[in-house]
Amino acid sequence: MEPPSTLRKVAIVGTGVIGSGWAALFLAKGYHVVAFVRSPASQTKFLKSLEEAYRNFVARGIALDPDGYKAVACVFNLAECVADADYVQESVVEDLALKQLIVQEIDQFAPPNVIIGSSTSFIPLSLLRWRARKHPERVATAHPSLPQWDAFCEVLGSSPAITAWLAKLYGVDSSPDITGLGMDVVAMKREAHGHVMNSLLSSLSMTGVLLVQKGICEAADVDATMVHLGRLMVASGGISGAVV
């Protein structure tokens, strides 16, 4: 399939911390954003989180209009949310059955050439799109760290062309028809449980548990070491230069 050549309207499905961050970033970049909310209470909670996330983009110089978050539209019907979207960002809670169901419903109602990018933290793409019946090939991985705080996203589509399209959307380059989100992008070559970021984080976490279980240090020592390791990686530009 060919991804959309023009992107103007983005549908947000899942309005928690990650979804609010995505909505704020797309708004900051000038996109028309519509969010699916399940109730007036969830809408109120989302709008509060959205404003907080958008303030971070203002402080970082990414959002120029301090009131730009007010342009978001909220709807209570999923089909209405995605029916005329150019792109869908899914960010519901990390539950396999729920994500499969939501992706299936989005696939049913979204236009056929619209990519569905999921913020799933761990679920491999093949499992994520398992229940999509109409166009499973348009389901993709688009997993961030935390959009309102950090400019990182790892992407994987069902084809190299879709992966490249996603890398352009989330990356630093822009065109007249698609404004890049300005993130550092990892364009994955194949699926993996936890993708790249959480695969690395899981390895570090398991090593920390082992160090504590073996009596080498306390849990607080692991946390303190990780804080300084993170600073070292930032200063050195990654793992390859962080060995001291």
Side-chain angles (χ1 to χ4, degrees):
M1 64 169 291
E2 288 292 330
S5 58
T6 300
L7 206 162
R8 296 287 182 267
K9 184 176 182 179
V10 176
I12 300 293
V13 179
T15 54
V17 174
I18 299 297
S20 299
W22 278 133
L25 179 54
F26 279 109
L27 286 165
K29 291 294 183 177
Y31 288 104
H32 174 53
V33 174
V34 57
F36 167 58
V37 292
R38 295 186 178 275
S39 67
S42 63
Q43 179 179 358
T44 299
K45 184 177 179 180
F46 163 62
L47 292 176
K48 181 180 179 181
S49 297
L50 173 66
E51 181 178 0
E52 292 174 355
Y54 192 86
R55 295 300 181 202
N56 285 334
F57 289 115
V58 172
R60 290 164 59 190
I62 295 172
L64 301 180
D65 180 2
D67 295 321
Y69 67 94
K70 296 179 181 179
V72 71
C74 294
V75 296
F76 297 101
N77 183 282
L78 179 61
E80 180 183 355
C81 180
V82 304
D84 60 348
D86 300 313
Y87 182 67
V88 179
Q89 183 74 54
E90 176 275 314
S91 305
V92 301
V93 296
E94 189 75 356
D95 178 87
L96 176 59
L98 176 60
K99 279 191 177 289
Q100 287 178 332
L101 177 61
I102 290 294
V103 167
Q104 180 185 30
E105 293 180 351
I106 296 171
D107 179 53
Q108 179 181 353
F109 297 117
N113 69 325
V114 169
I115 304 298
I116 305 168
S118 174
S119 302
T120 176
S121 301
F122 284 92
I123 302 170
L125 181 56
S126 57
L127 285 177
L128 183 69
R129 66 187 185 193
W130 186 258
R131 294 181 62 176
R133 294 292 177 262
K134 294 180 68 176
H135 301 284
E137 71 280 358
R138 43 103 160 257
V139 182
T141 299
H143 172 248
S145 46
L146 195 60
Q148 52 267 59
W149 289 105
D150 185 49
F152 172 86
C153 189
E154 47 195 354
V155 300
L156 178 67
S158 61
S159 69
I162 294 177
T163 300
W165 185 89
L166 290 164
K168 178 181 178 181
L169 170 60
Y170 291 96
V172 298
D173 294 331
S174 296
S175 69
D177 298 316
I178 296 179
T179 300
L181 298 182
M183 310 179 95
D184 290 330
V185 177
V186 171
M188 294 183 289
K189 299 179 181 179
R190 56 183 297 183
E191 67 177 28
H193 179 73
H195 321 311
V196 176
M197 174 170 280
N198 281 326
S199 292
L200 291 170
L201 182 58
S202 295
S203 297
L204 289 170
S205 297
M206 287 186 288
T207 300
V209 170
L210 182 62
L211 290 169
V212 174
Q213 289 179 341
K214 293 294 184 180
I216 296 170
C217 63
E218 300 294 332
D221 299 322
V222 173
D223 285 340
T225 303
M226 288 303 301
V227 168
H228 289 280
L229 179 59
R231 293 172 180 170
L232 180 61
M233 287 188 179
V234 170
S236 60
I239 293 178
S240 59
V243 178
V244 294

